[in-house]
């Protein structure tokens, strides 16, 4: 095995690692976005419930 072949094998391995890290980062960003949207939906529903409750007290 020559030194050039060893370098090519190493760069292919690093390329796979780079792709895996990019995929991991994408998944983490997506999970964070889904979590933020879910928390916003919960907050909005709680606000709506609080408003509805205060309207029912007035009647």
């Amino acid at each position: 095995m020559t030194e050039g072949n060893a370098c090519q094998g190493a760069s292919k391995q690093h390329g796979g690692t780079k792709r895996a890290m990019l995929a991991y980062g994408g998944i983490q960003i997506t999970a964070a976005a889904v979590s933020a949207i879910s928390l916003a939906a919960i907050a909005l529903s709680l606000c709506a419930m609080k408003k509805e409750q205060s309207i029912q007290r007035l009647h």
Side-chain angles (χ1 to χ4, degrees):
M1 181 188 249
T2 64
E3 209 172 294
N5 288 344
C7 289
Q8 285 177 351
S11 66
K12 285 181 183 178
Q13 185 180 11
H14 289 296
T17 304
K18 186 175 180 179
R19 284 185 186 165
M21 292 301 289
L22 285 173
Y24 177 77
I27 290 168
Q28 290 288 39
I29 290 171
T30 303
V34 168
S35 178
I37 291 169
S38 298
L39 287 172
I42 291 168
L44 290 173
S45 67
L46 287 175
C47 285
M49 287 174 52
K50 189 173 182 180
K51 284 181 183 178
E52 185 177 330
Q53 192 177 34
S54 66
I55 289 172
Q56 287 178 355
R57 277 193 210 154
L58 294 175
H59 289 280

